[in-house]
Structures are given as C-alpha cells and as structure tokens.
Amino acid sequence: MTSPASARWVPPAPQDLPEWRAQLMDFTASEASDIAMRETLRAGRCTIVPTMRNAPLDSGTFAATVLNGAEHARLSQADLYYATADMTALALAAAATPPREPVSIERLPSESGFIIFEEPIGGYVEDVGAALVGRVTATAAKDVRITTPIVAASWTAWTPQDIQITEGGTVTWGYMTRDGYIAIPPDTRGIWITYYSPCGVTSGLPPQTVLGTLSDGTTFTAAMFETTRQTAPDRGPLNWDNEVLLVEGTEFAAGRPDTTDMWSHTLYTAWQLMTSTGGTRWTETEEIPRARAGRKRDARQNVTGTSAVRVVNVHTAHRPPHDASLADAAASTGRREPSWSCRWPVRPYRRSTCLNPGGHATGDCQHEDRIVSGHVKGPPGAPLRTGTTVHLWDHQPKTDA
C-alpha cells in the first residue's frame, strides 16, 4: 500500500484570501466547472441535488449548472474569514463533543461567508486509483491511498425558494441518501455549507506511483496525472469537495469520523466561539483591507460580500503559549486535524446555560450552548503535569486466608 501523502497543506496569507475567492468564482462560472460537477454527480458525491420536471437540459447538466450557480452566488455574497492555527485547534478541541443546542441560523457570524483554516479541520483517506476509474483510467492500481485535508468552507442561510428557475418549471430540492432521493420540504430553513480541499489530489505521491492503466494498457502514473491537471483549465487553489445542509432546529448527533458530520461540528463550534455574547470572550478579530486594484476586480465580478478579510484568533486571555503551539504544529502532518495536547491539556467543554432560570422548573425557559474555558489545575507557575496517575504498592497487600 502506498503511504498517505506527506506534503503539508500550505495556507495562503490572510491578505490573499480575496484573490482565492476571485479565482474560485472564475472557475465556478466556467464550462470546465460544469463538467467537473457532472462527474461529481455521477460519482454520487453530491448530497443536495436539484431536479425539475421538463428541465431545459438533461438532468445531470441541469443539476450541475444550478449547483455551480448557487456556489458562485454564495461566494460572491460571502464575508471573508481566516481562522489562525490556534483558532482552528480551539474549535477542534471544543468540538470533541457535538454542539448541544439545535442548529440555529442566529449562530452565523454573517449570513453568507467563506473561511480558510490555517490547519485542516479534518480529512479522509481516499483510494486515488479507484477515484480515477472511468474519468481517466480504465482500471485502478491497488491501494494507492492518500489523505485529503478539508481546509475551507463557504456557507449561507438558505431555503429551497432561494434558487428558482422561471423557465420550464419549479426546482425541487432533495437529499441523496443511501435510501435514494428524499425531497426537501419547500418551507425548510437551514445553512448550506460547501467544504473545500486543496487542489493537487496526488500531492505527496512519488511521481512514479502507478495509479492505473489506460484503455490501451499503458500505465498511468502520478506524474502523468499532474501533467494532465496542469494543462487543464485553471481550477483555482481549492477543490469543491462536499456539501451539507444543516436544517434549523435539528439536533447534532455523534459524528461519523472523516465525514461532513465531524467537519460541521467543528465549523459550527467556530461560529459559536466567534459569536459568543455571554460569559467568556473567546476570539479577537483583525480586519485586513483589500487593495484598491483588488476591490475593482471584486466590483467587476459583482461581489457583494466584504472584500476585507477578518482574521480570527484566540483571545489573548486564552491563547496558548507560543512554545505549546509550536509543539503541536511539529506533531501535525498538515493533512489532518492538528493535535491540541500541548495547547489545551484540559480541553474546553460545553455547558447548557439557562437564560431564564425563573422558568426553568416549568420548562418555560431557553437554553444556550456555551463553551467553558479549559484550564490547568494547580497553583500559577507550578510545573505542568499531565498524564495517567500511577499508584505504586511497595508490597503485596495482605489477603484473608
């Protein structure tokens, strides 16, 4: 088995985020993006799928066009956020348990947004050879696996009525599940999230790695794939990876590893940290303005979201020591969620806070999920001690005869 790719995720500088958004918008509006989305639909990778009776195009082309149009609009309306490595690790630490409150649109820091994480918020292992069968190769090599990191997300508050086609009929939206297509009721309110991974799916594989064979029997290598990708239309720095709809009022369940469940727990927790109004102030935000030339480009692309970047960091009162951050970064592969063992030896935890204690006994109250600061027990300045306590017996305990 080929070892998982070792190349680290290299995030952009915060001031480059508007340009990344612009490149993604260019690609999303292109014919190449429609082709890629049709392939994604055929592979069953899409969760939210539009259909329309008597659609003006075949079903795959119609769905791809609508989905890309929706993502293009989402990016154009998005406010821009950059989560630092410490902020990413804090969100992951607090998201070790799922959010306890039901999904709430009120938790969004802005109605539409696009966020880059300086460290991945998760990842999944994929057989690259198997993924290329039918798209590039005729057969797949065995067990050519890499880890794909999830590093960015776009979102918007959404209802099925937000996207309608006037020509030909009404769009019906539904989930693709293991049991088939399930319609989304038209009065549904929720948060549509798209997750992104870095471009370069074979990043880190040795160039001579065989991914499969072509129809003529020729071997197809990682180097050949990278050459093909470089001559293809510019996809921008990120790949559309997956999406999910968080329906307002639904409860978060325990997440399945390496799925949108876990990534959504972390993203929603980041929103909770960013919008906390009571108790602990968790974050500090610095705004980096867009250069004048960039603002002109945004205007040409009809961007209505902010062009400035909001850099979100952990508040100085809770920020871990620099040495602890470096130790965790050194232990990270850069392709999976980072460790926080040094940054937060006792991780933050959740507490359901009653906002109307007087009505608590009768159930006439409202609860809010608040995140409580992690801590290290012991007097200030004392050496940090973590790990398992070992009880040593100096002799065998006596037993009754």
Side-chain angles (χ1 to χ4, degrees), residues 13 20-21 32 74-75 115 121 128 144 164 194 209 215 221 266 323 338 354 359 374 377 388 390:
W20 279 38
R21 189 250 299 270
R74 189 157 35 250
L75 291 168
I115 188 168
I121 60 171
V128 181
V144 184
Q164 293 296 331
T194 301
T209 303
S215 56
T221 65
T266 301
D323 289 347
C354 183
K377 295 181 179 179
T388 303
V390 177

Side-chain angles (χ1 to χ4, degrees), residues 10 79 99 115-116 132 150 165 168 173 186 217 239 241 251 279 287 314 324 327 357 379 387:
V10 180
D79 292 336
I115 188 168
I116 289 279
L132 293 178
I150 300 300
I165 308 297
W173 291 89
N239 280 322
D241 195 277
E251 302 283 345
E287 191 165 289
V314 180

Side-chain angles (χ1 to χ4, degrees), residues 82-384:
Y82 186 96
T84 64
D86 283 343
M87 178 62 191
T88 305
L90 174 61
L92 283 161
T97 55
R100 294 178 178 174
E101 69 184 25
V103 173
S104 172
I105 292 176
E106 298 300 317
R107 278 297 189 183
L108 295 177
S110 57
E111 185 169 323
S112 297
F114 179 60
I115 188 168
I116 289 279
F117 293 93
E118 195 171 6
E119 291 269 9
I121 60 171
Y124 57 92
V125 178
E126 185 176 30
D127 190 321
V128 181
L132 293 178
V133 172
R135 293 166 44 196
V136 180
T137 64
T139 62
K142 292 184 178 179
D143 293 329
V144 184
R145 300 179 184 276
I146 66 168
T147 302
T148 298
I150 300 300
V151 298
S154 65
W155 73 81
T156 192
W158 183 83
T159 70
Q161 291 90 352
D162 288 344
I163 305 171
Q164 293 296 331
I165 308 297
T166 57
E167 297 179 6
T170 302
V171 177
T172 300
W173 291 89
Y175 295 110
M176 291 302 299
T177 70
R178 295 174 182 174
D179 300 322
Y181 185 84
I182 300 176
I184 299 173
D187 59 348
T188 299
R189 296 181 74 242
I191 305 168
W192 185 326
I193 303 169
T194 301
Y195 291 104
Y196 285 91
S197 58
C199 277
V201 68
T202 59
S203 173
L205 289 177
Q208 68 274 17
T209 303
V210 175
L211 303 180
T213 58
L214 302 175
S215 56
D216 62 1
T218 305
T219 58
F220 189 75
T221 65
M224 294 168 66
F225 181 82
E226 285 302 307
T227 300
T228 303
R229 188 179 66 84
Q230 290 167 12
T231 58
D234 185 13
R235 300 177 64 91
L238 297 172
N239 280 322
W240 181 101
D241 195 277
N242 220 311
E243 90 271 282
V244 67
L245 178 63
L246 301 181
V247 178
E248 188 169 40
T250 58
E251 302 283 345
F252 287 93
R256 295 166 297 162
D258 297 349
T259 67
T260 55
D261 296 347
M262 302 300 292
W263 313 334
S264 298
H265 291 175
T266 301
L267 180 60
Y268 193 89
T269 300
W271 293 337
Q272 290 179 310
L273 294 166
M274 293 160 65
T275 60
S276 176
T277 56
T280 303
R281 182 184 172 191
W282 280 106
T283 63
E284 292 178 338
T285 303
E286 173 193 3
E287 191 165 289
I288 299 178
R290 175 88 147 131
R292 185 167 179 267
R295 294 198 303 271
K296 287 185 176 181
R297 176 174 180 177
D298 291 344
R300 290 194 298 270
Q301 287 188 303
N302 297 316
V303 170
T304 57
T306 58
S307 292
V309 179
R310 298 168 184 172
V311 180
V312 185
N313 204 351
V314 180
H315 192 279
T316 51
H318 308 287
R319 197 173 302 166
H322 184 60
D323 289 347
S325 296
L326 291 178
D328 279 346
S332 172
T333 66
R335 297 187 73 89
R336 293 303 304 247
E337 57 271 31
S339 165
W340 51 81
S341 56
C342 294
R343 273 174 274 197
W344 286 281
V346 182
R347 72 182 63 189
Y349 61 95
R350 300 180 184 279
R351 181 171 62 202
S352 180
T353 301
C354 183
L355 304 182
N356 180 24
H360 186 82
T362 60
D364 184 24
C365 63
Q366 180 182 356
H367 282 242
E368 181 180 76
D369 195 12
R370 291 184 180 173
I371 298 170
V372 181
S373 175
H375 58 282
V376 177
K377 295 181 179 179
L384 174 62

